[in-house]
Each structure stands twice: as structure tokens, then as C-alpha cells.
Amino acid sequence: MAEQGSHAVVLGAGMAGLLAARVLSEFYATVTIVERDALPDHAERRPGVPQGRHLHSFLSRGTQVIGELFPGLLGELRAAGAVVDDGDDLSRLYVRIGRYELNPPGRLADPGPLAAYQASRPFLEFHLRRRVSMSDNIAILQRRNIVAPVLAGGTVTGVRIIDRDTGTASTLAADLVVDATGRASRTAHFLATAGFGAVPQDKIPPTGGYSSQLLSIPPGRISARMAFVNQGSGAPGAMLVAHEDDTWMLAIAHPAECGGPPRDFAEMLHSAERLLPAEIMAGVRSATCIGATSISRNTAGVWRRYDRMPQVPAGLVILGDALCSFNPLHGQGMTMAAVQALVLRECLRAGDTDLARRFYRAAARHIAPVWAANRATDQRSTSAAEGSVRRRLNGWVQRAALRAGSADIAVTERMLRVRGLIDSPARLREPAFLARIAVANIRNPRPHCRATAAPRAALSRIAGQARRRRPAFSRNTAH
Ligand SMILES: Cc1cc2nc3c(=O)[nH]c(=O)nc-3n(C[C@H](O)[C@H](O)[C@H](O)COP(=O)(O)OP(=O)(O)OC[C@H]3O[C@@H](n4cnc5c(N)ncnc54)[C@H](O)[C@@H]3O)c2cc1C
């Protein structure tokens, strides 16, 4: 263990904060996490993480990372009731992208990395927090508001906090402060007022909104464990995921052109009928709602480019959503927080000289390809030129890949690995892969599609309306 200093402070006990604290505990004698909420001793939603009411998919790469950082945790999740898909039986997943169902016959060559641990966000966070709080050198200070970092001569030396129960203000001294306070992080504002200049931001505009509803469905009513339907740009999409305790999360996404997200379960059902196969809908209709429908329109992406600042303070690192928040429809935020925790570990292994700058640059190398893929998927066409050759070619290749994936399990496996952030998107452009797509298209020119609960005539009508409305939503990838 290479000890860098005596005390590190992590701001925020969300996913990024917990993962960062675990990493810092390898390098600092003590680690303190400061959190404004009272943290429940069981899996429960809490005010500081309002997004916990929504579907929270953990991608394959994120699952790998938490397994690496917390040996035995994945087994604990399984034992506690997470719905585990070992990746060896694609028949338990229903995936339709555009017209193509990605449920080809056969078995994955390497199912291990694609194992999915399906559970609610409060469940995941609780189990992670339980493991973090078992560390001898990590303490969690709850019900403390973080006011601002303390700066001395260009170095952050601690943080000012207020006890929410007593109103007492105090300063926690630290050799390193890690900001993991999420999307609402105030650090960019703090740095600007402290003379470091404005933090440049990259943004991807929002793609509409979606609604999530937690459901209780009696066991055995739905044989699939997960259903995902992305009809492409400008059309509604759906996701249904089995969670712990016979609960399921249904999410329905609507682009703005389709009238905004459904307002209640009845409206969600109305959309779901047109998206999900009849046998799955039969189970959904037997569901009992748990709590109210949650609606989110916050689908923009924001990347605060600390890596581009001419000067950043020493002793401060910003990660998780505070650094880059992704369109939640892609389900990448927790996984990218986990990836950044590993990046921080690599940077700390090389010592603490110029740590912040090295971290932002290294993190940017991991964020950039995911950001670029999201931008390509999310961004509305901004000029006629974009409808030109390159765009049409990309669209053609993507459709060919999906058509191939509906018949060739090796193609599906490659796409699932990229989607799960196990592999880089560049792997979808490798010549051998493109050749495989071409062969599969020649052998299987017509995809098979299971009937949805809605009659086909209604489906075509909706698809036609969506096309006329000028597409904007979730073009080609899963969310
Ligand atoms: C609607 C929605 C749906 C999403 N769905 C997915 C999904 O399917 N899959 C996925 O991987 N990601 C998803 N995300 C993103 C995911 O929630 C985040 O990327 C992930 O939680 C990592 O965030 P974080 O730890 O940086 O911040 P958060 O999880 O937001 O945690 C921040 C913590 O800081 C605390 N805090 C904030 N300010 C202060 C303060 N001043 N003082 C003290 N404490 C403070 C908060 O209470 C909270 O505990 C979704 C996000 C949204 C908004």
C-alpha cells in the first residue's frame, strides 16, 4: 500500500463517493465521507439521490469494477435478492432495436463479462455502503452540509461543513478532497469565484423525457428478466427490468415530439402495449404499482472540462456526475463513476504529484469515446449536411449490424460488450466484424419480429407518425 497522506475527505456518499472512498482507503490512513442525508441502514430511497426512484441499470463494466473493488460483493447482491443474469441464456432477455430482435439462437462465447446484477438503485447503493462502512479506515459523517473547499495558496487543504442538526460549522482538514456531490456540484462555481476562471463545459441537449414506475409482479408471470425496446429516433422506447423481491421497474421514454413522458401508470401501460411483446404485457397488466410514477426530463449530458483548465488547485479531485453527467437513458452514470474510481487508483499509484491534472486527463480518455457515441446517438441533426453521405452510411451500417445481430450470436455478443462498456465502440468498426455483418445480411435478409401486444396496424401508424414528427430520440443504441 502506497500511502500518500494521512487524511482524504470525500464529498457525497452516492455511488461515485463510495467507490472513490474505497480506492482512497488504499492510499490514505483515514478517509472521511461527508453526506448531507441521514443514511438508512437498509435499502431505501433518500432525498439526496432523487434519481433513485428511476430505473438504474448497472452496465457490465460497472459490475466488473465493483466485483474487483469489493471481493465477494456480487455474491452478496445475489444472496440478498438481486436478479442475476449470468449472460448464458439470451432467451431471458427481450431486446428489440428498431425492427430487429437481438435474440439469436446459440450461446455467447464468453458470457462471464456480460453477467447482469439487476436491482434497484437503493439496493445497490445500500450494499456498497455496507461494505464501505466495514472498512477500518473509512468513516461516514452523515447529516452534514458541505459548504465549500478551503483554499490556501492554490491548494485545497480541507472543506467547510455544517452539522444539519446543531447548525455548527467546522472545517475538516484534508490532504486530498474528492468532490462526488453529483450533478448539483458547486465546485465549478467555487473555482470560478476563487480566480481559477470559468470551467469549460461540453453539453449534449436533452432527448425528451421518461417515466419510471416500480411494480410488484407475482413470480412466474413473466419468463424474461429484462425487456428493452428502442424503436429509434423520434419514437417511444420501453424498458422493463426484474429487481429484488419480485419488484420490476418499468420505464417508458418519449421524445418531446411524442407529447412528453407519460404522466401516470395508465399512460405508461398505453405506450407499453405498443412496444412490448404480448406475453410480457400479460405479466405487466397483473402488476401492482408501488408508489407513484416518477418523471424525468433531465436527459441532457454535461461534461465539465476540468482537463481543459489552464490551472486547477492541488489537493482537489472531482469525479462522478460532478465531473460528467450522461443522458440517464444510456444507463452509464454509475458505470462511468466506477471506471473513474479505477482511474483515480491508477493515478494515485503513480504518486500525488500533479494528481488532479493527471486524473482529469486520464478520466477524459475514458469519457471521450462514450461521450462521442452518446452525442452521435442523441443529437438532433443540426444541418442539412449531416443528412449527407457519412450519416447515411453510418445509418446503413448500423441497420446492417442490427439485422446481422438478429441472426448471428457473435454479432450480438460484440454489440452487447460495446453497449456494456466492456469494449470500445471502435470494435464495431473492425474490418473482420464488418465482414461478418455482411455475410449475416446475405444469409438472413429478413428479420423476424415477435408480435407486440398492439395490433400491427396500430404499430405501423405510430411508426409513421413518429417519422413525420422529425426524429430526435435515442437513435440506435440501447438505454
Ligand atoms: C433520472 C436518472 C436516472 C438515471 N439512471 C441511471 C441508470 O440507469 N444507470 C446508471 O448507471 N446511472 C443512471 N443515472 C446516473 C446515476 O444516478 C449517477 O451517475 C450515479 O449516481 C453517480 O453519481 P454520483 O455519485 O456522482 O452522484 P449522486 O449519486 O447524485 O450522489 C451525490 C451525493 O452527494 C450528496 N450531496 C450533494 N450535495 C451535497 C452537499 N452540499 N452536502 C452534502 N452532501 C451532498 C447527495 O446527497 C448524494 O448522496 C441516472 C441519473 C438520473 C438523474
Side-chain angles (χ1 to χ4, degrees), residues 16 35-36 46 51 55-57 121 146 210 321 333-334:
E35 167 58 47
R36 66 180 165 201
R46 59 187 180 88
Q51 71 268 35
L55 178 66
H56 259 71
S57 318
R121 162 72 191 245
I146 294 146
Y210 65 104
D321 280 13
M334 296 190 297

Side-chain angles (χ1 to χ4, degrees), residues 442-458:
I442 292 162
R443 287 195 184 139
N444 178 51
R446 290 187 189 286
H448 161 76
C449 192
R450 263 196 266 180
T452 58
R456 295 231 160 244

